[in-house]
Amino acid sequence: MKITFVYPAFERHADAHPELKAWVPANEYIGPPSLGIACVAAATPPGHTVEFIDDRVTPFNVDHESDLFALSFFTPAATRAIEIADALRARGKRVVAGGIFPSMMPEAVASHFDAVVVGEGEPVWADVVNDAEHGALRPRYSAPPADLAPLVPPQVDLYLGAERDGYRPDDYPLQISRGCPLHCDACVLPEYLAPKMRFHSMDYLTATMKRYAAAGKLASFTEDTSFFPQARRGFRELIELCVKLQGEGLNLRLSYIGISLPIILNLDPTLLADLKRTGIDRFYVVGGFDPVTRGAFGPGDPKMLDKAVRAIARCHEFGIDPYVSFLVGNRDDDEGTFDRMLEFTRVAKIDLAEFCISTPYPGTPIWRRYNDEGRVFDRAWKHYNDANIVFRPHNMTPERLFEGYLYLWREFYQGRARDMSERPHTRSTIQF
Amino acid sequence: MGTTKEKVADRVFGILSELAAIPRGDIRGGDRLREDLGLDSMQNMELLSRVAEEFNIDPDMDKVMKVVTVDEVVTLLAGHIGVGE
């Protein structure tokens, strides 16, 4: 069979609000797709051909020919995914859904697809392909958390092959583990990937890093969980491995690590120094998830604000650039939150940031809570992209939250055009 | 000299003193990490991470999430290392 994987498009901040393009003097970065399709494609049984279409880069043509279409998508892309699936099925094509949104909301997509994969794809993908080959697709395949030990590395060549002029991501993600035992309000991972942490082998990670290096790509670490007790020792070994591979002449370059301010604040200085040794020069920090930034920006707790400032100072001390993603619209946020955030950026000397609206994604604790409280008023999934208000906030109107979101973007970047134009590519490029 | 529960406790008290900014002598085994020492959940994680790294163990996160007091931290880690009094 010929199997076509499709990554459906979704709206980004500047797509939803074009005025941002005038206000933000930064280069727009279109990042790589999430690793889901590359992981599942690698688990395809022998005897089939696979191809990949990134709908963000090359808009999907519904007349495209294939024996089986597999769409992997998260919430912002669900509207477009359903549109593609409906068009394909109108032509009699077989279409399978997988990824975060279908896993969290299978009943919302079931009528648009021949089959829905709930959970991680690898454990059931061979069954899906086999059933499709024999014309016997089942409506739902429920996958247990995958055993990571036997997995082969993700087929990232599919992604590299989809690059075009104007779309050449600098970096691709390296998945170190799956699962998280925490229950953060806005995160879907414990529900989607299960609370128990599982780890990829060093062979798996090495093979993926070597492929990125061969393609001239940087590898990014997106997981805050790498700093947790069960994960830390393995992570330190991975850092040592990176240094060793670099010492052996591999062109392995690392771009950033996803991390939160409380972890930066308390992190063992030797680990910070080791991270720097690998060439990592950026932390991607999400503010608004954790108790420190929630306390600092919500009620304006001076102790928490001081902690947040000290965490950023620590990044600067170690020569690591903190790129902060501010999440606004949390439970304790009020109309003073916007100016508190801006004041923090000034005091902490943050010079690269993005601003996002807290969004109750299906499967997260706040999705359940806000629905129970009757706060969710918009179920157009394409609006679930951190750039639209889909719920009634606690301490302000939806309109005021939206104005505050735009105000943050405008005020933060006002007067920075010259500074931004003089910076190197990586320090003048953001996703928005 | 091998690892003892006393050594584990010594490191736990040392790191706790640093993270909570409390003199070491003021910390008691029965103190609750959150309520008495003022640690937030990420500081709890960092405490466990550092000691686990030093003693070359990987405590399961399910158990880490359940510790409440300083003594429970020491007992959890000592249990992983397999040391007694």
Side-chain angles (χ1 to χ4, degrees), chain A residues 196 232-233 236 266 268, chain B residues 46 50 53 56 58 60:
Chain A
K196 192 163 187 63
R232 174 80 73 88
R233 203 156 57 92
R236 180 92 75 169
N266 297 299
D268 179 353
Chain B
E46 184 60 16
R50 281 202 210 173
E53 257 197 287
N56 209 23
D58 285 324
D60 194 277

Side-chain angles (χ1 to χ4, degrees), chain A residues 12 72 86 118 120 143 160-161 189 197 221 281 388 409 417 432:
Chain A
R12 290 137 48 82
S72 177
D86 287 348
V118 175
E120 294 169 45
L160 295 167
L189 289 187
M197 292 185 72
F221 300 150
D281 61 2
N388 294 286
W409 276 107
F432 72 105

Side-chain angles (χ1 to χ4, degrees), chain A residues 321-341:
Chain A
D321 177 31
Y323 171 46
V324 184
S325 179
F326 289 89
L327 196 62
V328 68
N330 293 305
R331 183 181 189 89
D332 293 329
D333 289 354
D334 58 25
E335 298 208 10
T337 293
F338 312 117
D339 284 326
R340 282 194 283 276
M341 283 182 169

Side-chain angles (χ1 to χ4, degrees), chain A residues 187-235:
Chain A
C187 185
V188 74
L189 289 187
E191 190 74 22
Y192 178 50
L193 297 177
K196 192 163 187 63
M197 292 185 72
R198 294 158 286 142
F199 301 91
H200 286 295
S201 68
M202 287 296 164
D203 287 345
Y204 179 100
L205 298 172
T206 302
T208 309
M209 290 192 292
K210 284 186 171 176
R211 184 65 196 95
Y212 290 158
K217 299 296 179 185
L218 289 82
S220 59
F221 300 150
T222 58
E223 301 152 22
D224 208 20
T225 47
S226 297
F227 300 99
F228 292 175
Q230 196 185 347
R232 174 80 73 88
R233 203 156 57 92
F235 184 60

